[in-house]
Amino acid sequence: MTVEATYQQMKAKLSRVVPDMELRYKAELAYEINQLKKEKNAVILGHNYMEPALFHSIPDFTGDSLELARKAATTDKDIIVFCGVRFMAETAKILNPEKTVLLPAQKAGCSLAASITAEDVRRLKARFPGVPVVSYVNTYADVKAESDLCCTSGNAKAVVESLDSETVIFLPDEYLARNVAKETGKHIIFPSATAGPDDTELDYQMIGWHGRCEVHEKFTVQDITNVRQQFPDVVILAHPECPPEVVATSDFSASTSAMIKFVQETNKPHYLLLTECAMGDNIAAANPDKEMLRLCSVRCPHMNEITLEDTLNALKLNRYVIDVPEDIRMRAAKAVERMIQIG
Ligand code: 13P
Ligand code: SF4
């Protein structure tokens, strides 16, 4: 494959979404990355939120958190370059202690992962002894290590229902927890980590935490009303990290990959995704027949840190290496592997 062939391949997909001069520049970067990837025996995993030129040029696999964790668990390459955020790269390391895992940006955090510490989980466990802990995969390794099981937006309901327990601690996303509670018919409470349960908290089946995704919490029912006024036939897809009233007002709610599949497999006049805007571009690029509306004032600054330039430097300079202390990794692996087995 030459630079020109890379450019032509990208152009075939992206000419409606990315201006040509940018495509030419990015094709050069993509070409160099793909060469280095082969030389270094690396695999590139790309989350569905990556910007279109990156998403459609360098990943060997694209997908949602669950699909990429599965790919990370089975790769035979020496290096995993994770074009996503830190907690995703950490999950890949948890599953592959002997491999080098690289995150192209030094930070690429996540407001949900930052919302809870391992100490918070230990306090909750002390307060609700014996209650299993399910942690969203959007957490750091030390929080996973304190958990019995992980889940993603793609399997949260199945994970909660797989437990042989009527009650579950579900962390840290308040809105995902509320949405799962609704789906499973469970009564949820949000206690403080330290105080004892009071009378109003005696009847509960899910115990949540007040973490929020800084992107999805911004979508409102008013956004949906406004868009439906202008496009009455629009189909609205909301990620389950959105507030419950937004999910309830939308037409479909599921993981990022399930949203992509929904658009691919249906034929509606307009679609609006209530999630990181780049995903709308990626779907539009792959499905020229679909009319994607975008609300792009709401972006994930962490996912947006991952660029083609940084990915090239990651491979050139072997950076930024993700490390997880072995005692934490071993405990976190149990929670992640249990999740992968459930599906
Ligand atoms: P998915 O697992 O649905 O891809 O979601 C990950 C995420 O961070 C959503 O904001
Ligand atoms: Fe985290 Fe939200 Fe960004 Fe996803 S979109 S990585 S949940 S801050």
Side-chain angles (χ1 to χ4, degrees):
M1 174 87 87
T2 59
V3 178
E4 182 59 25
T6 307
Y7 162 72
Q8 291 300 341
Q9 229 177 47
M10 289 169 74
K11 189 176 163 192
K13 277 242 163 90
L14 297 163
S15 59
R16 285 172 357 108
V17 198
V18 185
D20 195 61
M21 67 174 198
E22 183 160 314
L23 263 187
R24 284 213 172 268
Y25 165 67
K26 290 194 168 173
E28 282 179 27
L29 291 169
Y31 170 78
E32 221 184 315
I33 291 167
N34 286 331
Q35 291 295 109
L36 263 180
K37 183 171 74 173
K38 270 191 227 134
E39 273 169 37
K40 298 205 158 186
N41 196 31
V43 63
I44 298 184
L45 305 180
H47 187 261
N48 291 326
Y49 288 165
M50 291 297 103
E51 61 98 1
L54 186 157
F55 185 83
H56 287 286
S57 63
I58 58 166
D60 299 286
F61 301 101
T62 56
D64 62 18
S65 310
L66 183 60
E67 290 167 334
L68 295 181
R70 286 216 179 96
K71 289 294 175 201
T74 53
T75 184
D76 59 356
K77 302 289 183 191
D78 298 323
I79 299 174
I80 300 171
V81 181
F82 216 117
C83 291
V85 287
R86 175 167 286 266
F87 75 79
M88 296 179 177
E90 265 193 11
T91 306
K93 183 67 184 179
I94 288 166
L95 293 165
N96 291 284
E98 74 294 351
K99 296 190 197 300
T100 300
V101 177
L102 302 176
L103 180 69
Q106 198 161 18
K107 277 197 196 148
C110 168
S111 66
L112 279 172
S115 73
I116 192 159
T117 65
E119 183 53 29
D120 293 328
V121 186
R122 284 192 286 272
R123 283 206 200 107
L124 282 168
K125 288 201 292 190
R127 192 173 155 192
F128 299 97
V131 178
V133 178
V134 174
S135 283
Y136 195 25
V137 77
N138 296 39
T139 47
Y140 292 120
D142 54 349
V143 166
K144 289 185 173 80
E146 294 296 335
S147 309
D148 295 287
L149 194 48
C150 285
C151 76
T152 72
S153 61
N155 62 10
K157 182 171 177 267
V159 165
V160 167
E161 287 178 342
S162 76
L163 290 166
D164 192 17
S165 168
E166 180 63 8
T167 310
V168 53
I169 299 174
F170 189 99
L171 309 168
D173 185 346
E174 173 183 341
Y175 291 152
L176 180 66
R178 287 190 193 278
N179 287 321
V180 172
K182 211 167 166 184
E183 270 190 286
T184 53
K186 288 187 184 289
H187 177 216
I188 187 164
I189 58 161
F190 290 85
S192 68
T194 45
D198 61 27
D199 286 343
T200 58
E201 292 179 2
L202 288 178
D203 167 31
Y204 56 80
Q205 295 148 321
M206 268 176 93
I207 297 145
W209 188 255
H210 285 299
R212 290 191 188 171
C213 163
E214 68 190 84
V215 179
H216 293 95
E217 72 171 349
K218 296 206 175 85
F219 294 114
T220 64
V221 172
Q222 191 59 52
D223 291 331
I224 297 181
T225 309
N226 291 344
V227 174
R228 280 195 178 136
Q229 255 166 22
Q230 192 182 349
F231 302 95
D233 49 9
V234 66
V235 170
I236 301 198
L237 298 89
H239 194 274
E241 290 167 11
C242 290
E245 66 277 13
V246 169
V247 168
T249 316
S250 68
D251 299 295
F252 180 78
S253 179
S255 79
T256 53
S257 285
M259 287 197 250
I260 295 173
K261 197 161 170 257
F262 181 97
V263 177
Q264 278 166 346
E265 292 178 354
T266 57
N267 198 8
K268 306 289 180 191
H270 303 279
Y271 297 90
L272 173 68
L273 307 180
L274 300 183
T275 197
E276 157 61 42
C277 188
M279 216 172 88
D281 293 335
N282 291 335
I283 297 176
N287 304 272
D289 55 321
K290 308 283 163 149
E291 201 58 57
M292 305 302 298
L293 306 176
R294 328 265 211 291
L295 288 181
C296 283
S297 54
V298 185
R299 307 299 305 250
C300 176
H302 314 290
M303 289 284 184
N304 280 288
E305 279 189 41
I306 308 296
T307 63
L308 281 166
E309 288 87 342
D310 288 338
T311 308
L312 179 57
N313 280 331
L315 276 165
K316 271 187 181 162
L317 307 171
N318 206 44
R319 75 182 192 192
Y320 295 90
V321 176
I322 298 292
D323 275 320
V324 177
E326 186 56 13
D327 55 325
I328 291 178
R329 191 201 67 77
M330 274 168 37
R331 288 188 292 135
K334 283 191 195 146
V336 177
E337 278 160 6
R338 231 179 122 185
M339 167 188 83
I340 289 179
Q341 275 161 18
I342 289 172

